[in-house]
Amino acid sequence: MSTPNIKSVVENMVTPFLDEHGFELVDVEYVKEGSSWFLRVYVDKDGGIDIEDCGRISEFLSLQLDENDPITDMYFLEVSSPGAERPLKKSKDYVKAIGKHVFITTYESVNGLKEFEGTLVSFDEQTVVVSVGKKAHELPFTKVASARLAIQF
């Protein structure tokens, strides 16, 4: 099974459980590092998650994966918080991040830059507006390569 299909199968498998228990699925990664495969599931909830939450989710997902067996390779399952520098993946992530400090990279230059660190001013599905210093940059959403919350020092 291809990596995108594995991600989709895992998302479909775990989302009902997460919804039922008040968690939010942030991201699923299935990646090879060295000779080992890792299935990483990033989860959050209002107020943050703790180690017990990760354990419950991991136990549930492990049982589901054993029953359905969608992954043929040997892999390590990791369930964790997305951390302080949480990625912005979905539209709702961008909306929740308005007014917060972010780091955004683009596939190609916008206003002569490919990296933008500043305050997320607005988001409307087509355009991401980030204020860097005193200048606002309008980034076409289709040109955003990655975005995450950023810790401001």
Side-chain angles (χ1 to χ4, degrees):
M1 186 177 290
S2 70
T3 298
N5 288 342
I6 289 171
K7 287 176 62 171
S8 179
V9 165
V10 171
E11 286 175 9
N12 291 334
M13 203 177 281
V14 75
T15 297
F17 178 85
L18 296 176
D19 290 346
E20 181 181 330
H21 293 91
F23 297 105
E24 171 193 2
L25 179 62
V26 175
D27 198 14
V28 174
E29 292 179 344
Y30 185 62
V31 295
K32 189 171 188 176
E33 294 178 2
S35 61
S36 300
W37 282 94
F38 292 85
L39 175 61
R40 294 190 177 112
V41 179
Y42 297 98
V43 181
D44 207 359
K45 72 175 180 184
D46 288 340
I49 64 168
D50 58 29
I51 194 75
E52 288 82 19
D53 293 330
C54 291
R56 284 189 327 166
I57 296 163
S58 181
E59 285 178 30
F60 169 82
L61 187 53
S62 184
L63 288 172
Q64 293 297 307
L65 290 164
D66 287 348
E67 259 182 43
N68 297 295
D69 203 22
I71 304 172
T72 56
D73 301 305
M74 294 288 294
Y75 63 93
F76 295 96
L77 173 62
E78 297 177 355
V79 176
S80 70
S81 160
E85 293 193 333
R86 173 190 174 132
L88 306 178
K89 297 279 190 173
K90 304 169 189 151
S91 294
K92 68 179 183 172
D93 297 334
Y94 284 86
V95 171
K96 285 171 62 174
I98 291 173
K100 295 183 179 170
H101 197 73
V102 297
F103 179 76
I104 299 173
T105 62
T106 55
Y107 292 112
E108 56 189 60
S109 293
V110 177
N111 300 333
L113 302 170
K114 290 181 78 175
E115 294 183 349
F116 302 85
E117 184 168 348
T119 303
L120 182 61
V121 177
S122 66
F123 171 76
D124 70 3
E125 302 284 335
Q126 271 78 50
T127 307
V128 178
V129 179
V130 61
S131 176
V132 180
K134 295 183 180 186
K135 182 170 182 171
H137 297 271
E138 292 189 11
L139 312 176
F141 188 52
T142 56
K143 291 187 180 181
V144 172
S146 69
R148 62 174 170 76
L149 295 179
I151 296 174
Q152 193 172 11
F153 294 99

